[in-house]
Amino acid sequence: MVLNLIEAMDMAEAAERNQRIVPELCAVCSDKSTGLHYGVATCNGCKTFFRRTVVNDQHFGCKANNDCHVEKAIQGERDKIGYTKRRRIDDLYADGPSTSTTAAARQYTDSSTEQSPMSSPSSTSTQSSSSVPPRPANIESLIELEAKCNKFRMADIELETNVDLRTVISRQSSIINDETLLKNARTFTSVTQLVRQQSEDIVAWHRKDLLLMIEWAKEQTPFPILPEADKIALLRNHAFAHVMLQQSFYSQDFGPDIIVMPNGTFMHRVPADETMLRPLLGKVMDQIMLPIRRMSMRQEEFIAVKAIAFWNPEVSTLTPDTKDKVMQHRNELLAALFNVISASFKTPQACAERFGRMLLFTPHLSAITAMGTENMYLSSFFNLREFDTIVKELLLDD
């Protein structure tokens, strides 16, 4: 029943997006736009051209001195990808952070009534009240796993670079079980100074969170016994959502317009240079970071939502046997999440409302993942960023 509820919410979200689309012309060829693709209103033909160019590593040059006449790319009825729609996103913010960003952020933090998940007493892994029933065993295991991963996330160390995905998946040893890597490493604590992220900072944090995601997945049943192809499919399906969840939940609260990494580098709602990221970052902040803060999401809830998002039986390429295993595991996690919520919210209405709010992250994560993937393809196509092997394999490869 719970899974049917998730499917219903996905359908409702899709219907809402379709109703809000505003027709406009493709910015490349003036054909009818099907929505925002790679941060620009384009038709499916131009969208497909850019995507295939990146996937096939092709390079083109204009033969008309950059003055050629561009017309419709392909006919709508011949588009093999099909007609897709996405909600149009308005630019609501025009100004970036001022030169006094750090001082303003501190002032916001001091005056805000919201608590950061990192500092909230409810996010700790211990329960002090004897009247609170024990957490489900699978939630306790995930809390312990989260603590192991966070030791490495909060350490000022660089994890492996240019290692390929299959190597990380197949090896028996795990980074998070090797605490010798933490020897003499500085631990990030409370952020006191903010520095705007550069392109290399963004890629470095993506790589770190993605590598830790793989190790996080490897420690969970039934991941180790799945076929390699299914492991890769689950990881690729969840990769971008995992990064955004991690960075949103663990960001210290310096206001509604920035996501802060443990080392003090930050992403602003209005990027300084890569303007195509503005719609994506706005969605991440408005639909993930701020709802997490408004509902004061606790760590046990967060780790359950994250695991539920990862164990997705609807990933199309999974084998039937894996689908069954994933479905069963997700149902167990959904039941555990409901039990965790029920332990703190005594009335059925309050439990159902909070449980529903947690599940509503699912369609938002799907939409944000699609938009993020498009932005990654565009960044690669125009050489706006350099991606190492693990980032490419998880976020760019088909």
Side-chain angles (χ1 to χ4, degrees):
M1 181 179 296
V2 174
L3 289 174
N4 289 337
L5 175 60
I6 295 176
E7 294 170 0
M9 288 189 297
D10 285 340
M11 294 173 62
E13 178 74 8
E16 181 185 1
R17 287 201 303 271
N18 290 342
Q19 291 172 356
R20 295 188 183 182
I21 289 179
V22 178
E24 56 182 289
L25 298 180
C26 172
V28 179
C29 69
S30 299
D31 196 359
K32 184 178 179 181
S33 166
T34 59
L36 282 174
H37 306 294
Y38 311 106
V40 179
T42 61
C43 64
N44 271 344
C46 292
K47 166 194 170 183
T48 303
F49 169 77
F50 282 117
R51 182 177 181 278
R52 290 176 178 167
T53 299
V54 173
V55 171
N56 298 325
D57 195 25
Q58 296 173 311
H59 301 276
F60 300 99
C62 181
K63 297 182 180 180
N65 297 319
N66 294 320
D67 193 31
C68 59
H69 178 62
V70 180
E71 295 180 341
K72 295 182 181 181
I74 59 175
Q75 296 177 1
E77 62 270 18
R78 295 175 59 193
D79 184 2
K80 295 183 180 180
I81 289 183
Y83 188 80
T84 60
K85 294 183 178 181
R86 288 191 177 88
R87 186 189 307 177
R88 181 180 178 180
I89 302 174
D90 297 322
D91 293 333
L92 301 177
Y93 296 85
D95 300 322
S98 65
T99 55
S100 59
T101 300
T102 304
R106 285 203 193 99
Q107 182 179 6
Y108 177 92
T109 304
D110 294 339
S111 62
S112 174
T113 57
E114 298 174 338
Q115 285 186 307
S116 165
M118 293 183 66
S119 60
S120 172
S122 63
S123 68
T124 59
S125 60
T126 60
Q127 292 175 305
S128 58
S129 174
S130 58
S131 63
V132 178
R135 299 188 187 98
N138 51 0
I139 297 296
E140 287 290 357
S141 297
L142 286 172
I143 289 175
E144 293 175 5
L145 179 57
E146 190 81 357
K148 290 169 66 174
C149 292
N150 280 344
K151 280 186 180 180
F152 289 82
R153 190 172 192 269
M154 297 298 291
D156 188 10
I157 58 173
E158 183 176 19
L159 300 179
E160 301 165 293
T161 58
N162 288 319
V163 60
D164 67 276
L165 179 58
R166 284 178 169 81
T167 297
V168 181
I169 291 175
S170 61
R171 67 186 176 195
Q172 298 299 314
S173 60
S174 174
I175 293 175
I176 61 175
N177 292 324
D178 184 7
E179 295 206 4
T180 60
L181 296 173
L182 301 176
K183 187 177 181 180
N184 300 323
R186 181 172 69 94
T187 299
F188 298 124
T189 55
S190 180
V191 174
T192 58
Q193 184 175 359
L194 297 177
V195 180
R196 186 187 283 272
Q197 280 194 340
Q198 302 301 314
S199 178
E200 57 269 23
D201 299 314
I202 296 174
V203 174
W205 276 105
H206 276 41
R207 178 176 63 247
K208 191 170 191 177
D209 282 331
L210 289 172
L211 281 169
L212 290 174
M213 176 196 70
I214 299 171
E215 304 297 349
W216 169 83
K218 287 165 59 177
E219 295 285 316
Q220 298 180 57
T221 304
F223 192 85
I225 64 173
L226 300 181
E228 182 184 71
D230 288 344
K231 294 177 181 178
I232 292 174
L234 287 168
L235 290 168
R236 284 178 174 163
N237 179 71
H238 180 67
F240 194 84
H242 186 92
V243 170
M244 294 300 100
L245 282 170
Q246 288 290 103
Q247 296 181 2
S248 296
F249 182 78
Y250 288 111
S251 171
Q252 288 187 236
D253 189 351
F254 281 86
D257 297 322
I258 60 175
I259 296 177
V260 183
M261 302 301 121
N263 64 348
T265 59
F266 71 91
M267 294 183 291
H268 193 273
R269 182 185 296 269
V270 183
D273 44 12
E274 298 181 38
T275 56
M276 68 178 182
L277 291 177
R278 184 184 297 183
L280 173 63
L281 291 175
K283 272 189 171 290
V284 171
M285 293 176 190
D286 293 336
Q287 297 180 2
I288 300 180
M289 183 185 75
L290 293 180
I292 283 174
R293 292 179 182 172
R294 282 195 294 266
M295 72 173 68
S296 297
M297 183 183 285
R298 299 167 296 167
Q299 188 185 55
E300 56 263 37
E301 295 171 327
F302 169 72
I303 61 156
V305 168
K306 184 170 63 174
I308 289 166
F310 175 77
W311 294 104
N312 183 2
E314 300 305 317
V315 176
S316 60
T317 58
L318 296 180
T319 61
D321 183 60
T322 295
K323 281 181 180 286
D324 291 340
K325 288 183 172 67
V326 171
M327 176 80 76
Q328 179 182 350
H329 190 61
R330 182 186 245 196
N331 284 338
E332 292 170 355
L333 289 168
L334 286 164
L337 173 59
F338 189 79
N339 287 338
V340 165
I341 294 173
S342 299
S344 300
F345 295 83
K346 299 305 181 184
T347 68
Q349 181 178 353
C351 292
E353 180 179 348
R354 190 166 182 86
F355 186 63
R357 291 176 70 188
M358 298 292 173
L359 297 186
L360 281 173
F361 275 95
T362 302
H364 291 318
L365 288 173
S366 298
I368 289 171
T369 295
M371 183 180 292
T373 302
E374 289 183 345
N375 276 276
M376 295 288 290
Y377 276 118
L378 190 61
S379 294
S380 177
F381 178 77
F382 287 111
N383 295 318
L384 299 178
R385 294 184 195 156
E386 291 292 331
F387 301 108
D388 67 4
T389 303
I390 204 76
V391 176
K392 285 181 180 178
E393 288 188 295
L394 284 171
L395 299 181
L396 288 175
D397 282 3
D398 283 342

